[in-house]
Amino acid sequence: MEILLIVILFASAWFWLDSIGSREAAIQHGSALVARTNLQLLDETVACTRIRVGRNSRGRVQLLRTYEFDVSAHGSDRMACQLQMLGRQLHAWHIPPYLQAVH
């Protein structure tokens, strides 16, 4: 029984630390994406909305996390965006189409 408790505690600690690292990577990737598309990241945060199992290019099983965040094109609008992290790597992203301001 004690060994099971230790295994559960170890797995919980690993998951928590892995989640923190993945979230930090998602924030960096999200910031880079919005900078490249001339958008503003609102609230300076991303939120994990889904966790599932995926496979990387080598066939290894990793956690595939979906993060959502909000951006603005003009300061008065708000668009919901998404990115997926496979481990700590950016797997996919979606920013909806928006009208760009003409200068």
Side-chain angles (χ1 to χ4, degrees), residues 57-70:
S57 60
R58 295 183 179 146
R60 294 184 58 185
V61 173
Q62 291 185 300
L63 292 178
L64 179 65
R65 292 178 172 95
T66 301
Y67 291 91
E68 293 184 359
F69 57 100
D70 291 333

Side-chain angles (χ1 to χ4, degrees), residues 34 36-39 73-74 77 79 95-103:
V34 298
R36 280 196 332 230
T37 54
N38 296 322
L39 295 170
H74 309 301
D77 59 336
M79 296 181 290
I95 295 176
Y98 62 95
L99 293 175
Q100 294 183 1
V102 178
H103 297 288

Side-chain angles (χ1 to χ4, degrees), residues 40-80:
Q40 176 185 1
L41 181 63
L42 299 176
D43 308 326
E44 294 297 321
T45 188
V46 297
C48 184
T49 58
R50 185 175 182 191
I51 301 174
R52 58 189 176 143
V53 175
R55 291 192 180 271
N56 65 16
S57 60
R58 295 183 179 146
R60 294 184 58 185
V61 173
Q62 291 185 300
L63 292 178
L64 179 65
R65 292 178 172 95
T66 301
Y67 291 91
E68 293 184 359
F69 57 100
D70 291 333
V71 300
S72 175
H74 309 301
S76 60
D77 59 336
R78 193 173 196 101
M79 296 181 290

